[in-house]
Amino acid sequence: MDSDRQPGRDDVEACLVALLEGRMSRDAADRWAAQWIGRDSHDDGSRLEWDEPTRWALGLLHGVDLRHGPDEDYLHDDDQVREWLNELRGCARRPA
C-alpha cells in the first residue's frame, strides 16, 4: 500500500486480507487507517473522495487494535473482521 497515494477500495480490502492472513498487525492496520482518517478533514471543509463502503471499512480498520482491557481480547475478533471484508466485497459486486 502506497502511503502517499489515497487508498481506494482495493487497498482497504488488501489491508483487511493482510490483517486476517497475519501479514499485518492490528496496530499497523490501525495506524495505516488513522493516517487517512486524519487526512480526510481539511480546513476548508473538503474531504477526500471515497465511496461509502470504502469510507466505512477504513473507519472500522481505524480502531481494529482496540481491546476490552489490558491483555484482554480484541473488541473485534477475526470472524468479525472477515464479515467486514465480505461485506466490503459484496458492495463491490452491487451495481451503484
Side-chain angles (χ1 to χ4, degrees):
M1 289 170 270
D2 183 348
S3 63
D4 292 330
R5 179 185 55 82
Q6 178 183 330
R9 188 181 298 194
D10 290 342
D11 299 306
V12 175
E13 181 178 332
C15 185
L16 287 164
V17 170
L19 178 63
L20 289 169
E21 290 178 349
R23 293 181 287 113
M24 179 179 268
S25 70
R26 285 174 176 262
D27 182 58
D30 170 73
R31 283 184 285 116
W32 178 78
Q35 75 172 329
W36 290 105
I37 297 292
R39 292 183 194 182
D40 195 25
S41 298
H42 303 283
D43 291 338
D44 65 1
S46 65
R47 300 185 75 179
L48 297 175
E49 293 296 322
W50 279 299
D51 60 33
E52 267 316 299
T54 302
R55 187 181 300 279
W56 166 81
L58 192 62
L60 293 172
L61 279 168
H62 180 43
V64 74
D65 63 340
L66 295 175
R67 294 179 179 265
H68 288 283
D71 300 320
E72 291 192 27
D73 292 337
Y74 291 105
L75 291 177
H76 308 287
D77 63 17
D78 286 352
D79 287 338
Q80 190 166 17
V81 174
R82 196 169 289 106
E83 288 175 17
W84 298 342
L85 175 61
N86 289 336
E87 189 164 342
L88 182 63
R89 286 176 170 167
C91 290
R93 289 189 293 269
R94 285 185 222 135

